[in-house]
Amino acid sequence: MTDSKRIVLSSDHAAISLRQSVAEHIAKQGWEVVDIGPTTPESTHYPLHGAAAAERVASGDCALGIILCGTGQGIMMAANKVKGIRCGVCSDTFSAAMIRQHNNANMLSIGARVVGEGLALDIVDAFLGAEFEGGRHATRVDMIEPS
Ligand code: RB5
């Protein structure tokens, strides 16, 4: 697990309720949650929220990020356009741990219309509880975005 426990959360309108559940869940575990909204249910644009959260991670303001939209896919695509971001969509706990262990993911995306709240919180726990293994995986991760 990363040393810093500051984490950014964001979503579009399709995932406000689940985002709030995630925020409460991880705050109880001692995470400093930077929830950048939105807070109102009006239809909005997932690329804006994915990019905004990704910038918080890429800048070093937050160690990790969790983003959510209806499928988790669109907001993940937007986040991955920001240099330094490695974000995966997960609908299962195995993948959520593996994107940390093997891919050194610094952001997790979840689809609020894909998984229920209980599974979503388990996915979050798997992601936050896993550590990057380095070694041969570091070589491969470096190949994703050469500096
Ligand atoms: C919004 O209706 C929906 O398109 C969005 O939440 C997301 O699923 C896009 O990838």
Side-chain angles (χ1 to χ4, degrees):
M1 201 183 306
T2 176
D3 287 342
S4 167
K5 294 205 74 167
R6 186 170 159 88
I7 185 166
V8 61
L9 260 56
S10 186
S11 75
D12 72 357
H13 56 280
I16 289 176
S17 172
L18 182 56
R19 193 189 80 234
Q20 289 168 343
S21 297
V22 170
E24 287 171 21
H25 181 71
I26 64 177
K28 285 183 200 153
Q29 299 172 2
W31 286 88
E32 180 188 353
V33 178
V34 180
D35 189 339
I36 60 171
T39 54
T40 56
E42 291 83 34
S43 182
T44 182
H45 307 298
Y46 61 82
L48 302 176
H49 305 291
E55 293 290 353
R56 295 291 189 117
V57 176
S59 70
D61 177 43
C62 295
L64 296 171
I66 298 176
I67 52 179
L68 311 93
C69 67
T71 59
Q73 301 289 350
I75 201 163
M76 174 274 291
M77 293 177 195
N80 276 322
K81 290 291 183 185
V82 176
K83 186 170 174 53
I85 296 304
R86 291 175 301 280
C87 181
V89 182
C90 292
S91 300
D92 67 276
T93 57
F94 176 75
S95 299
M98 291 302 286
I99 64 169
R100 290 284 293 138
Q101 291 171 217
H102 284 196
N103 312 119
N104 200 17
N106 47 17
M107 296 187 73
L108 166 69
S109 183
I110 298 174
R113 294 172 178 162
V114 180
V115 298
E117 180 181 323
L119 177 55
L121 298 182
D122 285 348
I123 289 168
V124 167
D125 288 346
F127 177 75
L128 297 179
E131 289 182 47
F132 182 48
E133 293 176 2
R136 71 185 188 281
H137 303 297
T139 304
R140 295 164 185 165
V141 169
D142 288 345
M143 294 168 73
I144 295 173
E145 191 174 59
S147 51

